[in-house]
Amino acid sequence: MATEKMHNAKSAKNDEFYTQLTDVSKELMHYKQYFKDKIVFCNCDDPTWSAFWKYFHLNFSALGLKKLISTHYDKNAPTYKIEYTGNDDNDISAGTITRLEGNGDFRNQECLDLLDASDIVVTNPPFSLFREFVTTLVEHKKDYLIIGNTNALACMEIFKLFQADAIRTGYTNYNVGMFFRIPDTFEKYTKIENGHKMARVSTSCWFTSLPVKKH
């Protein structure tokens, strides 16, 4: 059932699977030393609800970050980016908002320019574009910590990186898969939690270019 959800998402190009803050915190606790004085880019995240934005904003000073950047995506219209450099960590709305010329797609040149200006990408990229997303990060020589489908390891591009120890699976072992919040318009879901529909994807895991003691 979970695998079916993943395939359906890919076929329909419907990638609205939203990560929970508990899952972000559980994995990122292992990499805290790698974020000091770094610019973190969340390039697939709406900061109004993104667990990644919330985690880094709330822990900005504790991690010693230099800057946090997030780009909002809108399929049909120009959108915005938001940048935060500290001083008000507990207010997750704090940050400088700037309009983008495009729709915030990670492949747009203005988003690629932000990528080049950053150090580490941390996000949950679209399921349907995972290979292209990783390829973009590798081409731009950026470290990353992202969520993907374990089946991606069977793809030649990803498998070659795995062989070369250039991509690693993370620390968190999801025996029953990860639960993602999904839009209320989705007909298929696993459970209702706090009034929101949740879907379980059993083949989800973390992928990273950062050092992992055991992966």
Side-chain angles (χ1 to χ4, degrees):
M1 185 66 177
T3 304
E4 179 185 351
K5 286 188 177 73
M6 185 71 79
H7 290 318
N8 289 343
K10 183 175 181 180
S11 298
K13 296 295 186 290
N14 196 338
D15 295 306
E16 296 181 84
F17 286 72
Y18 308 137
T19 315
Q20 299 184 87
L21 181 59
T22 52
D23 288 322
V24 174
S25 301
K26 188 176 181 179
E27 179 69 21
L28 267 63
M29 64 180 289
H30 298 285
Y31 307 88
K32 290 183 177 180
Q33 68 269 34
Y34 301 110
F35 290 109
K36 184 174 176 57
D37 298 323
K38 301 297 184 181
I39 298 176
V40 172
F41 187 21
C42 304
N43 56 349
C44 298
D45 298 86
D46 183 338
T48 60
W49 49 256
S50 167
F52 294 96
W53 172 265
K54 187 174 183 178
Y55 175 86
F56 283 112
H57 202 293
L58 293 173
N59 294 282
F60 190 91
S61 297
L63 293 171
L65 293 180
K66 181 178 181 180
K67 180 187 286 189
L68 174 62
I69 308 171
S70 180
T71 47
H72 174 256
Y73 171 76
D74 188 304
K75 183 178 180 180
N76 300 309
T79 181
Y80 64 91
K81 67 176 179 178
I82 181 167
E83 298 172 285
Y84 177 67
T85 55
N87 297 323
D88 199 1
D89 295 358
N90 291 325
D91 180 3
I92 61 171
S93 65
T96 301
I97 298 176
T98 307
R99 294 286 295 179
L100 294 174
E101 294 181 2
N103 66 355
D105 190 304
F106 71 87
R107 297 164 292 189
N108 289 351
Q109 187 57 54
E110 58 189 335
C111 291
L112 293 177
D113 290 341
L114 289 171
L115 177 63
D116 287 332
S118 67
D119 299 301
I120 305 174
V121 170
V122 187
T123 191
N124 177 8
F127 289 144
S128 62
L129 299 174
F130 185 80
R131 284 181 292 175
E132 184 175 359
F133 188 81
V134 172
T135 298
T136 299
L137 299 181
V138 171
E139 288 177 348
H140 288 257
K141 300 179 180 179
K142 296 300 171 181
D143 279 321
Y144 53 88
L145 183 55
I146 59 179
I147 294 174
N149 187 342
T150 54
N151 293 328
L153 291 171
C155 301
M156 185 58 67
E157 302 95 324
I158 305 301
F159 184 68
K160 286 183 177 179
L161 292 172
F162 196 76
Q163 281 185 309
D165 199 28
I167 188 171
R168 307 169 184 95
T169 51
Y171 287 91
T172 308
N173 180 20
Y174 293 98
N175 294 321
V176 296
M178 292 178 67
F179 283 89
F180 297 90
R181 179 182 168 183
I182 56 176
D184 293 335
T185 54
F186 276 32
E187 295 182 1
K188 295 182 178 180
Y189 57 94
T190 306
K191 63 179 180 178
I192 299 290
E193 188 174 286
N194 297 323
H196 300 294
K197 290 182 178 179
M198 306 292 293
R200 182 176 73 90
V201 183
S202 61
T203 52
S204 293
C205 75
W206 291 87
F207 292 94
T208 185
S209 61
L210 298 172
V212 176
K213 292 180 180 178
K214 182 179 181 182
H215 65 96

